Each structure stands twice: as structure tokens, then as C-alpha cells.
Amino acid sequence: MLQFAYNCFLKPLGRHSSQQGRLDAFYEGQAAVYDSTRGGLLRGRKTMLRLCAAELKKHNNSSGAKPIWIDLGGGTGWNIEQMDLLYGIANFGTVYLVDLCQPLCKVAEQRFQAKGWKNVKVICQDALSFVLPQLAGQDCGQIDLITMSYSLSMIENFYPVVDRISMLLNSQTGLIGVADFYVSGAAGPSGYNDAEKAGVLGYQCNWFTRVFWQHWFEFDHVYLHPCRRNYLEHKFVTHKALNCRNHFIIPYLIQMPYYVWLGRPGYPVEGKPLQLARSISSPSNYAAVGVSPPSSPDLPPVASPNHYVQASVPKHMQQSPSAISHKPDINLGPSILSLPPSSSAQGATNYAQGWSRLPYQPTKPEHSQFSTYIYGFTWEDPQRDLEVLGLRPGDNLMVITSAGDNALAYAAHHSELKIHCVDMNPCQNHLLELKLAALRSLDYDTFWRMFGLGSLSSFAHTLDSTLSTELSSSAYQYWRQNTHVFAPRQSVLGNLVLGDLSHRNLYTTGYSGVALQYLRVITKVFGIHRATQQLVVASSLAKQAGLWRDKIRSRIFSNIVIRFLDNPVAMWQFMGVPINQWNMLRSEGSMSQYVRDTLDPVFHSTLCAKSNYFYRLLFARQYSPDCCPDYLTKNGFTRLQHVVGKGANVVNPTFHLHTATLLDTLDGMQDGELDKAVIMDHMDWFSPEDANSEVVALARVVKKAGFVLWRSAARNPWYIAVFKRHGFTVEALDIRQTNSMKPLDRVNMYASLYKATKL
């Protein structure tokens, strides 16, 4: 550590005429201890390598050809040694380590000789002018992977280096991975068309962070100006992005921004192969065609600026140059910080899976207000839905995503459906997308631990090495920053003080998880916790009903609880019941009576140990193999693996994930496009104006004889008249009666179930 501190902070560097001389002088005295002193400072390297290895396994193993990898600015070869553990160096055709610093390259050579790797070459040359010995003059489009680990910020003239990387990468399989420090611009992310891929989650830095770290690192000739990352995202399609903070030495006080980023080549110019541009990729080839290597962000000589912007979209979607100049599709902004996304992919994310995630703008207020999901599990019974929906192959449905459980249940029971899953909370779609990715890539035992038990200690590793290849960038970012959901950090002190209240898993997170935690506290305070645990394993209805009647019910409906239930503020804060819905419910009776009518029939008619997985989850906070949603059963898992394309590509995806309001989603659909829509109870939340707007949209999009299915907390919801006014006939399928012991379904939470059929 003293050797590291002296060479980094005390040793005078002197004056040097070249960057190589300065690097050699700086690292000569610390090259031998470089790896042992950089672990806490250079975060994100392992994550970047795991993501790259996962992509290589997915995309390159099928071709049979061994990939070629360049580790640009690879230093001591630490990255290559780590990649051997993740992918196997023997599985590469050739690995090139390129670095300008001779002391670090010597360490790398010694490391590789000790490993006996014959296919790893160390090239001590400049990042712009290096020549690959086995591909001299023939390197254009031949490289499958290029990584830059804390090297982009150290390259002074970085524009031509990034240009050259774009020319070296294989246009079909090429991948670039970067881990580095960064600071954001003051104005935030530039106007990306597909902003959810650009890594805007956690991207923005505060004023102090932007100014301090940029100037601090410049003392060591490390440059964090946003133009570097922005130009990278300008040249490539962002595939994965992760923005983090390194709490180096002093947690929470020191926050060094760093990012992990993966990109792929974009559309070729005018839909043609990239051979022309790639033909001048190496410095020797620049001379051959009589031009100089680009040294600025100007575009390569093969394309004019307007021509280059048009390369971001397929040819049939391109506008004329005049149209682009008058109606730009980009935000040029005040500086290089807003370069146009010349390589941005258009349309929905779809990798031949059984689903597509439609792009959305995460910085819009209706999305950014959510930092987590509301529902970690779905609270409507799909068994009753399936009885009513009468699904047939080819049916086009729209559902509210929630936790995705019911959409999965529909697809598990009926093939060849098209299901639009809509939620304005991005985190709800992140949760469904994670389930779909896990169905496509995990074995049943791992899948069960994740979603049956709600925990997986190796979740972070599984996410990077397996699930990441199936997730959109925004979903990956969310789960990478919330790995504690499945792998919570257990505290010894917390266990001693809180007992099982400190035990966390998927189902104790989100707002629904807060409700489960409150429920656990209430059962302990009222002395019925043990009885509830006996209730969920009772072997017969008689035993279950006896436990409910004799040990639980009287304490649940005490005076203090009744007062709580009849308070609208408490019901909104703790149970998520909005004031409009509360008013509908109270107009037909008291809240305490409503809860009695909900729970009494359930515990006398459905068995929590065998069939009622909803209430088992409430008290046990996990499922059992005998009592769980359809998608968690072995049969359901197997059926859904075919739906999501396990081991095969899918021509027509079943699931289409819309991060939007129902109204915005309906506005984007064709007349008569939907066969059926399941909208849960969300119209209970609406004002008359909002309800009218949505029903008008449903009347346009739902085809003749199609229908809308909904539940309500009221037996006779006021908006029935709105459906009738706009061309629907409304049928009450179920209406719950006061003091009835017959539940409407296994949840029995709602007072009615309605069907509105389009005339």
C-alpha cells in the first residue's frame, strides 16, 4: 500500500514529451502491485466481463467459430485472467491485449507465459495505430469483442479510437464492453429516441460530483467529460447500461460515478454492408486510400452529416435531407453532449423471444415517480378469469401487468395468444420481464427458488451471467441495482431484535411487501401469529375454519381494527385503497363489514395448504410446491418455456410489454384490434372524465362481440352507465352478498365481477 501511495501521490513525474513516457514513469514503480491495489477503486470490471461472457455464450456458441477479442488498454492482463474463469481463454481464436505502457505490458506477458496461453498476444502500441500481427491490413469487421476497462478516460485523442473500434467490430456479432468513470452533463441525458436503452437510470450527477471528480481526475490525466461516453453511445447501439457510485474508502461520503456499458454496431449506411467504412480501419489503410485518420468528432469521409443521421433508421423509414434539417429527430443541444444517436435501434426490444418490451422514456413524470413496484404478486384469481374469458388460439388480449402472474396463467393454459401487458409503473414490467427471462434461461429448481421461495443467494451472479442476455437494458439496470430483493443482507443484530420480521425476500418488497410486513406485525401484536402459521398448513377445511373462528377472527375484528378499517387515510396509506374506491365501497356499507364478507367465506371454503395460494402467501410470505400460481408448477413452467422460446426462436411473441397508461396504449392500437381486455379494478380509481375517456377508447379498439372484464369494490359500480352509453351491453357475472359464506373466487376481495360486451 505504501508503494502504491508513493507512486500515485508523492513521486514526481517530471516532464515527458509523449503520453507513453508519462505512463511508463507513472506505473514503473507500481506495476507489480497494480492489481492488488486497484480492486476497490476500479469497480464494475467483473460485471462488464460477466455480461460480455454471457453474450458470447449466447451468440457465438451457435456459430461454432471461435471469437477474436481485443482488450484495449488491458494493462496487466487482469481482465483476460478473469475472462478465463467466465468463458475460457481456450474458447477464443485469438486474444489481443493492447496497451501503451511497457511496465504493465511486461506484467501481462509474465502472467500469460505462466498460464501457458499460446493464443494471447500482448501488443505494446497506441490505441489508434496498433497493428494486429495475424490480421495486418485485414482486421476490418473481424473482431467479435472489444473491451475497455478504465482506459477510454485515459485516451487523450479518443474520437478516432472510438471510430476505429466501430470499424473493427464484426457488424453481425460484434460487441464492445466498457467500464469506466464518468460524470454527466448539467442538462442530463441527451434526446435519445430510445432513452430506456441509454442508461438514464441513475445517470445524472449532482453539481458537486460533476465538478469535483472531473477536475480531480484531470490531475492524473484522466478525463471524465461527458463527451466521451456520449460519443460512445452515439456510435453504437446501447445494449446494456448500468450507472453506479463507488463509495471508495468512506461509504456514502465519497461517491465516484462509474458505468458499465455494452454496445453493438448499428445500422449500416443506407442499408449497405459496412465494408467501405471498414476498409480504412487501420492506420496503414488510411494512407493507402490517401486520407488522414479522423482526429475529431467529424464524420468519416464516407458519409455526409445528413447521410449519417439517416443511417440510424432502415432505408424505407428515412426522410429527405431537407426534412431532417427542418424537422430533426434529435436534440442537438448546446454542445457535443447531445450528439445524434446515429446507431440507435428503432422499435421494440425483441431478440426472437416470446415477448417484446416496447421502448419508453423513463424520465417522464408518470414513470419516474415509481422507484419500485406496487405489487410483488397479483391479487386477482386467474382461475375465475379463465372460466369467463373462453380463450382461443389467436385471441388478442390486453391486461394490466401487475406482477404478471395472471398473464402467465393465461398463456400457460392457452397457446398462440397475443397478450398486451400494460402498466405505467416501469417496475411492474421489470418484474414480469424478469420472470419471462428466467423461464427462458433457468432450470426449474432455480426458477422455483426465485419466485416460489422468493430468494436466491446467487442472484447477482445469475443476473449477470445468465439472465442479462434476455433482459432489456432498463430491466437489467433495475434488477442490478436491486439485487437485495432476492439476496437480502441479513443482520445479526436485526435477527436478534426483530426475529423473522428481519427475514426479507421478493414478497416482502414493493408496496405489497410493506403490507405483508404490517400484517406480520399485527399478528404478533394480537398474539395470533402462531395460529396463522397453523392455518396455512391445516390439512382440512374443518381444521382451517376452526382456527379462523376460534383463534383469529375475534382478535382481527377488535374495536381498534374496525376503527382503522373505517378511516380513509389509513386505508390509503396502509392498504392502497384510493379515496374514490373507498367512497364507492362505503356507499354500500362499512369497511369492516366489507372485510368480514371477504375473509369469512375464504377460510370456510378454500384450503390455504392446497389451493388458495393467495392467502398462504399473506401469512407464510412464500409459496409451497402444493400451493402456488400456475406458472410455478412444473407443468406450467414447461408449457411456458415453449411460449417464451426456450431453446428456439419465436416467430410471433406472445407477450407485449407496454410501459404506458391504458389510454395511451389504446390510442396506439387499430380499430377493432382487441378481442378481450381484463382491466382489474382500476376504473374504481377514476373520475367520471377519466372513465369516459377510457371507455371511448375501449369502444374503438375492442372488436364487435369482444368484451371487457373487470372487478369492482362496489356491487353496482357507477361507471356501468358509461359502458352502456358507448355501445356495450353489461352483464354482472358475480355479485357478492352481505354475510354470504360463498366466495366469488379464491381471493374474494372484490364485491363484483362484470363483463361488458361490444355490440
Side-chain angles (χ1 to χ4, degrees), residues 470-493:
E470 308 293 344
L471 291 171
S472 65
S473 182
S474 58
Y476 171 75
Q477 290 173 64
Y478 177 81
W479 290 113
R480 195 61 178 79
Q481 293 172 352
N482 290 277
T483 55
H484 65 275
V485 168
F486 293 96
R489 305 172 187 91
Q490 299 291 353
S491 166
V492 175
L493 180 61

PDB file of all heavy atoms in Angstrom, residues 470-493:
ATOM      1  N   GLU A 470     -31.251 -11.893 -21.769  1.00  0.00           N
ATOM      2  CA  GLU A 470     -32.664 -11.920 -22.138  1.00  0.00           C
ATOM      3  C   GLU A 470     -33.408 -10.649 -21.729  1.00  0.00           C
ATOM      4  O   GLU A 470     -34.565 -10.471 -22.094  1.00  0.00           O
ATOM      5  CB  GLU A 470     -33.358 -13.122 -21.464  1.00  0.00           C
ATOM      6  CG  GLU A 470     -32.677 -14.460 -21.683  1.00  0.00           C
ATOM      7  CD  GLU A 470     -32.737 -14.917 -23.129  1.00  0.00           C
ATOM      8  OE1 GLU A 470     -33.547 -14.362 -23.902  1.00  0.00           O
ATOM      9  OE2 GLU A 470     -31.969 -15.830 -23.492  1.00  0.00           O
ATOM     10  N   LEU A 471     -32.759  -9.777 -20.967  1.00  0.00           N
ATOM     11  CA  LEU A 471     -33.435  -8.606 -20.421  1.00  0.00           C
ATOM     12  C   LEU A 471     -33.147  -7.352 -21.237  1.00  0.00           C
ATOM     13  O   LEU A 471     -32.059  -7.195 -21.800  1.00  0.00           O
ATOM     14  CB  LEU A 471     -32.974  -8.362 -18.979  1.00  0.00           C
ATOM     15  CG  LEU A 471     -33.399  -9.382 -17.927  1.00  0.00           C
ATOM     16  CD1 LEU A 471     -32.672  -9.111 -16.614  1.00  0.00           C
ATOM     17  CD2 LEU A 471     -34.900  -9.365 -17.714  1.00  0.00           C
ATOM     18  N   SER A 472     -34.133  -6.459 -21.288  1.00  0.00           N
ATOM     19  CA  SER A 472     -33.888  -5.140 -21.849  1.00  0.00           C
ATOM     20  C   SER A 472     -32.916  -4.392 -20.945  1.00  0.00           C
ATOM     21  O   SER A 472     -32.705  -4.753 -19.782  1.00  0.00           O
ATOM     22  CB  SER A 472     -35.200  -4.364 -21.971  1.00  0.00           C
ATOM     23  OG  SER A 472     -35.746  -4.104 -20.680  1.00  0.00           O
ATOM     24  N   SER A 473     -32.323  -3.340 -21.476  1.00  0.00           N
ATOM     25  CA  SER A 473     -31.344  -2.588 -20.700  1.00  0.00           C
ATOM     26  C   SER A 473     -31.967  -1.996 -19.442  1.00  0.00           C
ATOM     27  O   SER A 473     -31.369  -2.031 -18.361  1.00  0.00           O
ATOM     28  CB  SER A 473     -30.739  -1.465 -21.551  1.00  0.00           C
ATOM     29  OG  SER A 473     -29.764  -0.751 -20.825  1.00  0.00           O
ATOM     30  N   SER A 474     -33.174  -1.453 -19.549  1.00  0.00           N
ATOM     31  CA  SER A 474     -33.798  -0.827 -18.376  1.00  0.00           C
ATOM     32  C   SER A 474     -34.131  -1.860 -17.310  1.00  0.00           C
ATOM     33  O   SER A 474     -33.962  -1.597 -16.110  1.00  0.00           O
ATOM     34  CB  SER A 474     -35.059  -0.073 -18.792  1.00  0.00           C
ATOM     35  OG  SER A 474     -35.984  -0.944 -19.422  1.00  0.00           O
ATOM     36  N   ALA A 475     -34.602  -3.037 -17.708  1.00  0.00           N
ATOM     37  CA  ALA A 475     -34.899  -4.082 -16.726  1.00  0.00           C
ATOM     38  C   ALA A 475     -33.617  -4.573 -16.060  1.00  0.00           C
ATOM     39  O   ALA A 475     -33.586  -4.797 -14.844  1.00  0.00           O
ATOM     40  CB  ALA A 475     -35.632  -5.243 -17.387  1.00  0.00           C
ATOM     41  N   TYR A 476     -32.556  -4.753 -16.847  1.00  0.00           N
ATOM     42  CA  TYR A 476     -31.286  -5.175 -16.260  1.00  0.00           C
ATOM     43  C   TYR A 476     -30.787  -4.137 -15.254  1.00  0.00           C
ATOM     44  O   TYR A 476     -30.346  -4.484 -14.148  1.00  0.00           O
ATOM     45  CB  TYR A 476     -30.224  -5.400 -17.335  1.00  0.00           C
ATOM     46  CG  TYR A 476     -28.861  -5.617 -16.734  1.00  0.00           C
ATOM     47  CD1 TYR A 476     -28.535  -6.825 -16.126  1.00  0.00           C
ATOM     48  CD2 TYR A 476     -27.920  -4.588 -16.705  1.00  0.00           C
ATOM     49  CE1 TYR A 476     -27.295  -7.014 -15.521  1.00  0.00           C
ATOM     50  CE2 TYR A 476     -26.684  -4.764 -16.105  1.00  0.00           C
ATOM     51  CZ  TYR A 476     -26.376  -5.982 -15.511  1.00  0.00           C
ATOM     52  OH  TYR A 476     -25.159  -6.151 -14.898  1.00  0.00           O
ATOM     53  N   GLN A 477     -30.844  -2.856 -15.632  1.00  0.00           N
ATOM     54  CA  GLN A 477     -30.397  -1.806 -14.714  1.00  0.00           C
ATOM     55  C   GLN A 477     -31.161  -1.874 -13.403  1.00  0.00           C
ATOM     56  O   GLN A 477     -30.570  -1.778 -12.315  1.00  0.00           O
ATOM     57  CB  GLN A 477     -30.626  -0.428 -15.338  1.00  0.00           C
ATOM     58  CG  GLN A 477     -29.735  -0.097 -16.508  1.00  0.00           C
ATOM     59  CD  GLN A 477     -30.154   1.212 -17.143  1.00  0.00           C
ATOM     60  OE1 GLN A 477     -30.080   2.251 -16.504  1.00  0.00           O
ATOM     61  NE2 GLN A 477     -30.609   1.168 -18.387  1.00  0.00           N
ATOM     62  N   TYR A 478     -32.482  -2.033 -13.489  1.00  0.00           N
ATOM     63  CA  TYR A 478     -33.293  -2.046 -12.275  1.00  0.00           C
ATOM     64  C   TYR A 478     -32.899  -3.202 -11.366  1.00  0.00           C
ATOM     65  O   TYR A 478     -32.678  -3.019 -10.161  1.00  0.00           O
ATOM     66  CB  TYR A 478     -34.775  -2.137 -12.623  1.00  0.00           C
ATOM     67  CG  TYR A 478     -35.650  -2.233 -11.393  1.00  0.00           C
ATOM     68  CD1 TYR A 478     -35.979  -1.095 -10.677  1.00  0.00           C
ATOM     69  CD2 TYR A 478     -36.098  -3.471 -10.924  1.00  0.00           C
ATOM     70  CE1 TYR A 478     -36.744  -1.177  -9.523  1.00  0.00           C
ATOM     71  CE2 TYR A 478     -36.861  -3.556  -9.775  1.00  0.00           C
ATOM     72  CZ  TYR A 478     -37.182  -2.411  -9.079  1.00  0.00           C
ATOM     73  OH  TYR A 478     -37.928  -2.506  -7.932  1.00  0.00           O
ATOM     74  N   TRP A 479     -32.803  -4.398 -11.923  1.00  0.00           N
ATOM     75  CA  TRP A 479     -32.526  -5.563 -11.080  1.00  0.00           C
ATOM     76  C   TRP A 479     -31.088  -5.576 -10.598  1.00  0.00           C
ATOM     77  O   TRP A 479     -30.803  -6.055  -9.496  1.00  0.00           O
ATOM     78  CB  TRP A 479     -32.895  -6.844 -11.813  1.00  0.00           C
ATOM     79  CG  TRP A 479     -34.372  -6.979 -11.959  1.00  0.00           C
ATOM     80  CD1 TRP A 479     -35.109  -6.944 -13.106  1.00  0.00           C
ATOM     81  CD2 TRP A 479     -35.310  -7.138 -10.884  1.00  0.00           C
ATOM     82  NE1 TRP A 479     -36.446  -7.061 -12.810  1.00  0.00           N
ATOM     83  CE2 TRP A 479     -36.599  -7.189 -11.462  1.00  0.00           C
ATOM     84  CE3 TRP A 479     -35.189  -7.240  -9.497  1.00  0.00           C
ATOM     85  CZ2 TRP A 479     -37.749  -7.343 -10.694  1.00  0.00           C
ATOM     86  CZ3 TRP A 479     -36.325  -7.389  -8.733  1.00  0.00           C
ATOM     87  CH2 TRP A 479     -37.586  -7.437  -9.329  1.00  0.00           C
ATOM     88  N   ARG A 480     -30.157  -5.018 -11.385  1.00  0.00           N
ATOM     89  CA  ARG A 480     -28.753  -4.973 -10.917  1.00  0.00           C
ATOM     90  C   ARG A 480     -28.615  -4.038  -9.722  1.00  0.00           C
ATOM     91  O   ARG A 480     -27.773  -4.257  -8.847  1.00  0.00           O
ATOM     92  CB  ARG A 480     -27.842  -4.506 -12.064  1.00  0.00           C
ATOM     93  CG  ARG A 480     -26.364  -4.780 -11.801  1.00  0.00           C
ATOM     94  CD  ARG A 480     -26.135  -6.281 -11.653  1.00  0.00           C
ATOM     95  NE  ARG A 480     -24.755  -6.653 -11.437  1.00  0.00           N
ATOM     96  CZ  ARG A 480     -24.097  -6.566 -10.277  1.00  0.00           C
ATOM     97  NH1 ARG A 480     -24.709  -6.084  -9.208  1.00  0.00           N
ATOM     98  NH2 ARG A 480     -22.848  -6.961 -10.192  1.00  0.00           N
ATOM     99  N   GLN A 481     -29.451  -3.006  -9.683  1.00  0.00           N
ATOM    100  CA  GLN A 481     -29.401  -2.073  -8.569  1.00  0.00           C
ATOM    101  C   GLN A 481     -30.295  -2.509  -7.415  1.00  0.00           C
ATOM    102  O   GLN A 481     -30.324  -1.836  -6.371  1.00  0.00           O
ATOM    103  CB  GLN A 481     -29.804  -0.682  -9.057  1.00  0.00           C
ATOM    104  CG  GLN A 481     -28.792  -0.084 -10.029  1.00  0.00           C
ATOM    105  CD  GLN A 481     -29.265   1.199 -10.678  1.00  0.00           C
ATOM    106  OE1 GLN A 481     -30.411   1.596 -10.533  1.00  0.00           O
ATOM    107  NE2 GLN A 481     -28.373   1.855 -11.402  1.00  0.00           N
ATOM    108  N   ASN A 482     -31.005  -3.625  -7.587  1.00  0.00           N
ATOM    109  CA  ASN A 482     -31.892  -4.125  -6.531  1.00  0.00           C
ATOM    110  C   ASN A 482     -31.695  -5.621  -6.300  1.00  0.00           C
ATOM    111  O   ASN A 482     -32.659  -6.364  -6.097  1.00  0.00           O
ATOM    112  CB  ASN A 482     -33.352  -3.831  -6.893  1.00  0.00           C
ATOM    113  CG  ASN A 482     -33.692  -2.361  -6.836  1.00  0.00           C
ATOM    114  OD1 ASN A 482     -33.993  -1.812  -5.782  1.00  0.00           O
ATOM    115  ND2 ASN A 482     -33.630  -1.703  -7.987  1.00  0.00           N
ATOM    116  N   THR A 483     -30.447  -6.057  -6.326  1.00  0.00           N
ATOM    117  CA  THR A 483     -30.171  -7.478  -6.124  1.00  0.00           C
ATOM    118  C   THR A 483     -30.580  -7.953  -4.733  1.00  0.00           C
ATOM    119  O   THR A 483     -30.805  -9.139  -4.516  1.00  0.00           O
ATOM    120  CB  THR A 483     -28.676  -7.781  -6.337  1.00  0.00           C
ATOM    121  OG1 THR A 483     -27.904  -6.938  -5.476  1.00  0.00           O
ATOM    122  CG2 THR A 483     -28.273  -7.522  -7.786  1.00  0.00           C
ATOM    123  N   HIS A 484     -30.702  -7.006  -3.787  1.00  0.00           N
ATOM    124  CA  HIS A 484     -31.100  -7.378  -2.428  1.00  0.00           C
ATOM    125  C   HIS A 484     -32.520  -7.941  -2.368  1.00  0.00           C
ATOM    126  O   HIS A 484     -32.875  -8.570  -1.366  1.00  0.00           O
ATOM    127  CB  HIS A 484     -31.007  -6.157  -1.525  1.00  0.00           C
ATOM    128  CG  HIS A 484     -31.974  -5.073  -1.897  1.00  0.00           C
ATOM    129  ND1 HIS A 484     -31.689  -4.123  -2.865  1.00  0.00           N
ATOM    130  CD2 HIS A 484     -33.230  -4.796  -1.463  1.00  0.00           C
ATOM    131  CE1 HIS A 484     -32.714  -3.314  -2.993  1.00  0.00           C
ATOM    132  NE2 HIS A 484     -33.663  -3.694  -2.153  1.00  0.00           N
ATOM    133  N   VAL A 485     -33.317  -7.725  -3.396  1.00  0.00           N
ATOM    134  CA  VAL A 485     -34.681  -8.262  -3.404  1.00  0.00           C
ATOM    135  C   VAL A 485     -34.650  -9.776  -3.265  1.00  0.00           C
ATOM    136  O   VAL A 485     -35.441 -10.364  -2.513  1.00  0.00           O
ATOM    137  CB  VAL A 485     -35.415  -7.843  -4.695  1.00  0.00           C
ATOM    138  CG1 VAL A 485     -36.721  -8.618  -4.855  1.00  0.00           C
ATOM    139  CG2 VAL A 485     -35.694  -6.341  -4.676  1.00  0.00           C
ATOM    140  N   PHE A 486     -33.746 -10.421  -3.981  1.00  0.00           N
ATOM    141  CA  PHE A 486     -33.640 -11.880  -3.933  1.00  0.00           C
ATOM    142  C   PHE A 486     -32.504 -12.357  -3.030  1.00  0.00           C
ATOM    143  O   PHE A 486     -32.501 -13.511  -2.618  1.00  0.00           O
ATOM    144  CB  PHE A 486     -33.427 -12.437  -5.342  1.00  0.00           C
ATOM    145  CG  PHE A 486     -34.602 -12.250  -6.253  1.00  0.00           C
ATOM    146  CD1 PHE A 486     -34.664 -11.165  -7.120  1.00  0.00           C
ATOM    147  CD2 PHE A 486     -35.660 -13.141  -6.235  1.00  0.00           C
ATOM    148  CE1 PHE A 486     -35.749 -10.988  -7.956  1.00  0.00           C
ATOM    149  CE2 PHE A 486     -36.750 -12.970  -7.057  1.00  0.00           C
ATOM    150  CZ  PHE A 486     -36.804 -11.887  -7.919  1.00  0.00           C
ATOM    151  N   ALA A 487     -31.546 -11.480  -2.758  1.00  0.00           N
ATOM    152  CA  ALA A 487     -30.412 -11.853  -1.908  1.00  0.00           C
ATOM    153  C   ALA A 487     -30.243 -10.803  -0.825  1.00  0.00           C
ATOM    154  O   ALA A 487     -29.300 -10.004  -0.850  1.00  0.00           O
ATOM    155  CB  ALA A 487     -29.140 -11.981  -2.748  1.00  0.00           C
ATOM    156  N   PRO A 488     -31.161 -10.758   0.135  1.00  0.00           N
ATOM    157  CA  PRO A 488     -31.117  -9.709   1.164  1.00  0.00           C
ATOM    158  C   PRO A 488     -29.907  -9.870   2.077  1.00  0.00           C
ATOM    159  O   PRO A 488     -29.429 -10.977   2.320  1.00  0.00           O
ATOM    160  CB  PRO A 488     -32.427  -9.906   1.933  1.00  0.00           C
ATOM    161  CG  PRO A 488     -32.778 -11.346   1.725  1.00  0.00           C
ATOM    162  CD  PRO A 488     -32.294 -11.684   0.344  1.00  0.00           C
ATOM    163  N   ARG A 489     -29.442  -8.741   2.562  1.00  0.00           N
ATOM    164  CA  ARG A 489     -28.321  -8.745   3.514  1.00  0.00           C
ATOM    165  C   ARG A 489     -28.874  -8.966   4.913  1.00  0.00           C
ATOM    166  O   ARG A 489     -29.603  -8.125   5.439  1.00  0.00           O
ATOM    167  CB  ARG A 489     -27.560  -7.427   3.433  1.00  0.00           C
ATOM    168  CG  ARG A 489     -27.071  -7.093   2.032  1.00  0.00           C
ATOM    169  CD  ARG A 489     -26.484  -5.678   1.990  1.00  0.00           C
ATOM    170  NE  ARG A 489     -26.158  -5.293   0.620  1.00  0.00           N
ATOM    171  CZ  ARG A 489     -27.012  -4.664  -0.177  1.00  0.00           C
ATOM    172  NH1 ARG A 489     -28.228  -4.376   0.257  1.00  0.00           N
ATOM    173  NH2 ARG A 489     -26.653  -4.334  -1.407  1.00  0.00           N
ATOM    174  N   GLN A 490     -28.560 -10.084   5.509  1.00  0.00           N
ATOM    175  CA  GLN A 490     -29.070 -10.415   6.836  1.00  0.00           C
ATOM    176  C   GLN A 490     -28.159  -9.825   7.915  1.00  0.00           C
ATOM    177  O   GLN A 490     -26.938  -9.931   7.846  1.00  0.00           O
ATOM    178  CB  GLN A 490     -29.157 -11.937   7.002  1.00  0.00           C
ATOM    179  CG  GLN A 490     -30.089 -12.621   5.998  1.00  0.00           C
ATOM    180  CD  GLN A 490     -31.554 -12.290   6.231  1.00  0.00           C
ATOM    181  OE1 GLN A 490     -31.903 -11.653   7.214  1.00  0.00           O
ATOM    182  NE2 GLN A 490     -32.418 -12.711   5.327  1.00  0.00           N
ATOM    183  N   SER A 491     -28.782  -9.211   8.890  1.00  0.00           N
ATOM    184  CA  SER A 491     -28.051  -8.594  10.000  1.00  0.00           C
ATOM    185  C   SER A 491     -28.235  -9.430  11.260  1.00  0.00           C
ATOM    186  O   SER A 491     -29.363  -9.796  11.610  1.00  0.00           O
ATOM    187  CB  SER A 491     -28.562  -7.171  10.236  1.00  0.00           C
ATOM    188  OG  SER A 491     -28.131  -6.670  11.468  1.00  0.00           O
ATOM    189  N   VAL A 492     -27.134  -9.736  11.926  1.00  0.00           N
ATOM    190  CA  VAL A 492     -27.215 -10.487  13.182  1.00  0.00           C
ATOM    191  C   VAL A 492     -28.012  -9.705  14.213  1.00  0.00           C
ATOM    192  O   VAL A 492     -28.872 -10.248  14.911  1.00  0.00           O
ATOM    193  CB  VAL A 492     -25.802 -10.799  13.712  1.00  0.00           C
ATOM    194  CG1 VAL A 492     -25.889 -11.479  15.077  1.00  0.00           C
ATOM    195  CG2 VAL A 492     -25.041 -11.673  12.720  1.00  0.00           C
ATOM    196  N   LEU A 493     -27.732  -8.399  14.308  1.00  0.00           N
ATOM    197  CA  LEU A 493     -28.470  -7.555  15.249  1.00  0.00           C
ATOM    198  C   LEU A 493     -29.948  -7.504  14.885  1.00  0.00           C
ATOM    199  O   LEU A 493     -30.820  -7.580  15.758  1.00  0.00           O
ATOM    200  CB  LEU A 493     -27.878  -6.149  15.258  1.00  0.00           C
ATOM    201  CG  LEU A 493     -28.559  -5.136  16.205  1.00  0.00           C
ATOM    202  CD1 LEU A 493     -28.454  -5.627  17.645  1.00  0.00           C
ATOM    203  CD2 LEU A 493     -27.929  -3.757  16.037  1.00  0.00           C
TER     204      LEU A 493
END
